[in-house]
């Protein structure tokens, strides 16, 4: 009897609102490769650096329909749609379809972070009241996690950009 | 004979020693600024290694007119942060800056580093001055 192959771990269904109030869910990223991170707009420590590195991803794939970026706030109480819109504006992001900053139910966001195998939690002692990993997660068109990158390291994001090109080539084969 | 030989060689020896000295300064001579490590730990995540800032989220330090014109306020900004809208080189910024936990010596070193690298004014300050400025913070 043949041995069954193992089943790929895939991201479960989700739905959140982006900075323009538009719903973003699994259908939005169907057939796309996408990069995910978790942050909050009042984050005093690693987030600005993460956003600066994510801007490199945004700039490089601005015209590529096959790529999306999803940044989830882990502080939905303060990060309303309007707050996310203002933050995106300060970063110079005009295209919310390309780079969505997402908010929703707090519990759903934290459980989604678990699905992406990224740590995020509330911590009154941490600067800004939350702790979270600075990882960027690369997900393929079938919802499979393909890589983790340190969003605070320019060298690690060089690797992400190279891997995204490889993944796009793999998809078009 | 031997005396003459030393006398003859001495100027060459001196030139050689001076040349080695200059070569050493030119290659490894620049001692790292004492504020550089603190800058990289406390400031560079947001303001960048070159003080360039991030879009209109984080203001640049490089050639910042606000910092140059309000040099005496810098110790208070570092200690208590900035929680109001500011204008730097013609652009507005309102992302809050958080106060940093640095002592007077670290603060003086990092201000001298920022000045040397990014503001380029002729000010040179010390920890005594930092403590004096802290007495006048409005927070």
């Amino acid at each position: 009897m043949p041995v069954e192959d193992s089943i790929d771990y895939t991201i479960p269904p989700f739905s959140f609102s982006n900075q323009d109030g538009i719903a973003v869910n699994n259908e939005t990223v169907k057939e796309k490769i996408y990069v995910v991170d978790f942050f909050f707009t009042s984050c005093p420590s690693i987030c600005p650096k993460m956003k600066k590195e994510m801007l490199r991803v945004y700039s490089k794939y601005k015209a590529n329909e096959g790529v999306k970026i999803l940044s989830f706030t882990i502080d939905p109480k303060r990060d309303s749609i309007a707050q996310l819109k203002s933050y995106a504006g300060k970063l110079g992001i005009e295209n919310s379809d390309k780079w969505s900053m997402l908010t929703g139910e707090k519990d759903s966001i934290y459980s989604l972070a678990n699905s992406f195998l990224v740590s995020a939690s509330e911590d009154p002692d941490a600067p800004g009241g939350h702790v979270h990993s600075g990882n960027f997660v690369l997900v393929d068109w079938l919802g499979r996690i393909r890589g983790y990158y340190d969003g605070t390291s320019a060298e690690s994001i060089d690797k992400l950009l190279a891997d995204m090109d490889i993944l796009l080539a793999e998809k078009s084969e | 004979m031997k005396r003459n030989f030393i006398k003859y060689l001495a100027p060459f020896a001196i030139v050689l020693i001076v040349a080695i000295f200059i070569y050493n300064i030119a290659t490894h001579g620049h001692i790292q600024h004492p504020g550089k490590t603190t800058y990289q730990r406390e400031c560079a995540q947001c303001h960048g290694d070159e003080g360039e800032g991030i879009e209109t989220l984080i203001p640049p330090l490089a050639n910042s007119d606000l910092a140059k014109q309000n040099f005496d306020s810098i110790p208070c900004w570092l200690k208590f942060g900035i929680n109001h809208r500011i204008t730097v080189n013609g652009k507005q910024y309102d992302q809050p800056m958080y106060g940093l936990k640095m002592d007077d010596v670290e603060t003086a070193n990092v201000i001298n580093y920022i000045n040397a690298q990014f503001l380029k004014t002729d000010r040179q300050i010390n920890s005594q001055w930092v403590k004096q400025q802290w007495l006048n913070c409005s927070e």
Side-chain angles (χ1 to χ4, degrees), chain A residues 47-71:
Chain A
C47 304
K49 175 74 174 158
M50 288 166 69
K51 290 290 157 279
K52 188 178 179 178
E53 294 300 326
M54 195 66 97
L55 273 172
R56 295 174 60 204
V57 180
Y58 176 74
S59 305
K60 181 171 176 187
Y61 298 104
K62 222 171 184 172
N64 190 323
E65 285 297 311
V67 174
K68 285 190 187 293
I69 301 167
L70 310 182
S71 289

Side-chain angles (χ1 to χ4, degrees), chain A residues 41-46 48-49 51-52 55 87 89-92 152, chain B residues 44-49 52-58 94-96 98:
Chain A
T41 64
S42 55
C43 167
S45 52
I46 58 175
K49 175 74 174 158
K51 290 290 157 279
K52 188 178 179 178
L55 273 172
Y87 192 81
K90 289 174 197 169
L91 286 170
T152 65
Chain B
Q45 289 278 24
C46 291
H47 291 288
D49 288 337
E52 71 275 18
I54 303 174
E55 303 295 320
T56 52
L57 184 68
I58 309 286
D94 66 0
Q95 182 77 2
Y98 293 79

Side-chain angles (χ1 to χ4, degrees), chain B residues 67-76 123 125 129 133-134:
Chain B
K68 283 196 274 193
Q69 287 157 20
N70 300 276
F71 198 98
D72 293 347
S73 303
I74 297 176
C76 298
R123 297 285 291 269
I125 55 88
W129 177 83
Q133 297 312 115
W134 280 346

Side-chain angles (χ1 to χ4, degrees), chain A residues 96-107:
Chain A
S96 71
D97 183 49
K98 173 63 65 188
W99 186 348
S100 277
M101 302 215 165
L102 298 152
T103 186
E105 273 296 308
K106 193 180 94 184
D107 291 347

